[in-house]
Amino acid sequence: MLLYEEICARVLEQIRRGTLGPGDRVPSEMELAGEFNVSRITSKRALEVLREAGLVERIRGKGTFVVQQLPDLSEVTMPLRGRVAAPRRAARTIALVVPDVSDSYGLDLMNAIEERCADHETHLIVRRTHGRQADEEKAVDSLVATGEVDGLIVFPVHGDFYNASLLRQVLDGYPVVLVDRHLAGIPVAAVHTDNVAAARALTERLLEQGHEHIAFLSPPPVNTSSIEDRLEGFRSAFAGRGRPYELTDLRSTMPGSTTPEAIRADVGVIRAFRERFPQVTAYFACEYNLARMADRALGGDQVIVCFDSPGDSIGGPPYLHVRQNQREMGRTAVDLLIARLRGQTVPNLSYVPFELVDAEGNG
């Protein structure tokens, strides 16, 4: 039973026993939150569900009270029907919370989500966080607290720790689906590429081409599951052949950190790495913008591969790369969230296909 349902069940039982009678005041959001050790958003949701079930009424400025004319309690079963604000809307509304979108990654994903929402006759709200965890927390809290949406699709930002607001909503049972990344050990539906398998396949292609010394380039991977998984796949590809190298403290491609000074600093770090390890002949960048930076730093002397290379479509050079199926990711995310809203059980992990594409655009 979800946390808000436990509160509903307790209040319903008190009404059945007569502990709470018609016209009696029901504990406030704050009081219920303290009693059950949950967030106020959860207690508010419980009171809204009780109201929709016709058991209580909420009077502005006074509080929540048991209705004077109770329905036949023998007909009231748990879980109570209805969801906060859902009966008041002809169509569902969901929100996409995303760091940002670009031609290199994210635009196709957002377009697919928008199109799939239209298929389901569902409204879509988009909130951009610009890669800032504080803005992500604010967006999640405001969307849920106001009852503006029925569920969330979230593209989590890079971070050294989990977004507390997002984690609280997941644990409270609010409908959430993650895209591109997952939260390790947290039971929440997530849709993304099998980054371990994709990174392994890309690294194996380099080994097959005769590269024995290969370096992995990325921002800090801690608590960013996509980077952690790509690094794991990179390492697993060697299996007794070749030698892996890692440079995982580059920061200028992280959202909100792309400044001329940061780019110059990372270019210098990559050049210093090359001087230290001149035997490296191929560089695996975890994302396209980092591949372009490595290209600039290395002067075109080494082979560079990456994830998501749009190449000439945005005026940049093409690379051998992993092409993620962003459109399938977006469609699947919407389908899973709609299924959650219908009360259906959905898997915690859904992989979408990928393919290796060479610099000429051939799979």
Side-chain angles (χ1 to χ4, degrees):
M1 183 179 293
L2 300 177
L3 293 175
Y4 80 89
E5 292 176 341
E6 293 180 8
I7 298 175
C8 290
R10 177 75 65 82
V11 174
L12 175 58
E13 181 60 26
Q14 290 175 340
I15 294 174
R16 281 185 169 139
R17 291 201 314 262
T19 306
L20 288 174
D24 286 349
R25 178 182 172 276
V26 177
S28 67
E29 295 171 14
M30 183 175 295
E31 291 168 337
L32 289 172
E35 180 181 352
F36 287 86
N37 194 27
V38 298
S39 68
R40 288 189 63 180
I41 292 174
T42 299
S43 59
K44 177 181 179 180
R45 191 176 186 202
L47 292 175
E48 282 295 305
V49 171
L50 287 163
R51 185 187 67 79
E52 297 290 356
L55 298 173
V56 304
E57 59 180 341
R58 308 195 71 183
I59 301 175
R60 185 181 298 275
K62 294 185 178 181
T64 303
F65 302 86
V66 179
V67 296
Q68 293 292 342
Q69 296 295 324
L70 283 166
D72 183 352
L73 296 181
S74 66
E75 298 294 324
V76 180
T77 60
M78 290 296 299
L80 297 177
R81 291 185 176 275
R83 190 179 302 277
V84 176
R88 297 196 296 271
R89 288 197 295 265
R92 291 186 177 91
T93 299
I94 66 176
L96 170 64
V97 181
V98 61
D100 214 333
V101 297
S102 67
D103 286 333
S104 61
Y105 191 73
L107 184 59
D108 283 347
L109 173 68
M110 186 178 72
N111 287 340
I113 290 173
E114 183 178 36
E115 292 166 7
R116 198 60 164 174
C117 283
D119 292 341
H120 286 287
E121 298 183 341
T122 297
H123 300 306
L124 177 67
I125 295 173
V126 178
R127 293 284 187 270
R128 293 191 301 166
T129 63
H130 307 286
R132 294 187 286 265
Q133 194 164 69
D135 287 355
E136 183 179 87
E137 292 184 0
K138 182 178 179 180
V140 169
D141 280 343
S142 64
L143 288 165
V144 175
T146 61
E148 191 175 1
V149 299
D150 297 289
L152 301 174
I153 296 176
V154 182
F155 185 148
V157 304
H158 290 275
D160 294 333
F161 51 89
Y162 291 155
N163 176 338
S165 297
L166 179 59
L167 185 59
R168 181 170 61 249
Q169 299 311 323
V170 170
L171 296 178
D172 284 353
Y174 191 82
V176 176
V177 174
L178 305 183
V179 291
D180 188 75
R181 297 168 192 160
H182 63 273
L183 302 181
I186 307 300
V188 57
V191 186
H192 56 83
T193 301
D194 186 341
N195 285 291
V196 174
R200 183 189 303 118
L202 187 56
T203 307
E204 288 174 346
R205 178 70 64 86
L206 290 173
L207 291 166
E208 291 165 1
Q209 292 176 350
H211 296 282
E212 296 184 355
H213 300 270
I214 306 170
F216 183 87
L217 306 179
S218 77
V222 177
N223 279 342
T224 301
S225 63
S226 57
I227 300 178
E228 291 177 332
D229 290 348
R230 290 171 192 180
L231 182 55
E232 178 184 342
F234 169 77
R235 291 168 174 168
S236 68
F238 290 87
R241 55 175 177 164
R243 180 181 171 186
Y245 301 77
E246 298 172 12
L247 178 57
T248 59
D249 56 358
L250 303 170
R251 295 182 176 272
S252 63
T253 60
M254 296 176 65
S257 301
T258 306
T259 64
E261 294 77 14
I263 292 172
R264 283 195 296 270
D266 278 355
V267 166
V269 170
I270 295 172
R271 287 173 176 166
F273 183 88
R274 178 191 58 185
E275 293 175 2
R276 183 181 177 190
F277 302 106
Q279 64 273 31
V280 173
T281 58
Y283 286 77
F284 181 147
C286 75
E287 57 185 276
Y288 177 72
N289 289 331
L290 191 54
R292 293 192 66 178
M293 180 185 302
D295 211 352
R296 171 183 169 185
L298 301 170
D301 295 334
Q302 282 81 15
V303 169
I304 297 174
V305 303
C306 63
F307 271 63
D308 309 305
S309 174
D312 293 335
S313 67
I314 63 170
Y319 304 102
L320 168 64
H321 65 281
V322 171
R323 177 184 291 164
Q324 301 187 78
N325 194 331
Q326 298 181 58
R327 298 193 66 81
E328 181 64 19
M329 194 183 301
R331 289 191 292 265
T332 302
V334 175
D335 289 346
L336 289 175
L337 187 55
I338 294 298
R340 279 286 317 274
L341 294 175
R342 291 172 177 168
Q344 301 170 14
T345 301
V346 300
N348 283 342
L349 183 59
S350 299
Y351 286 136
V352 296
F354 68 88
E355 61 178 326
L356 296 186
V357 180
D358 63 28
E360 287 69 42
N362 302 312

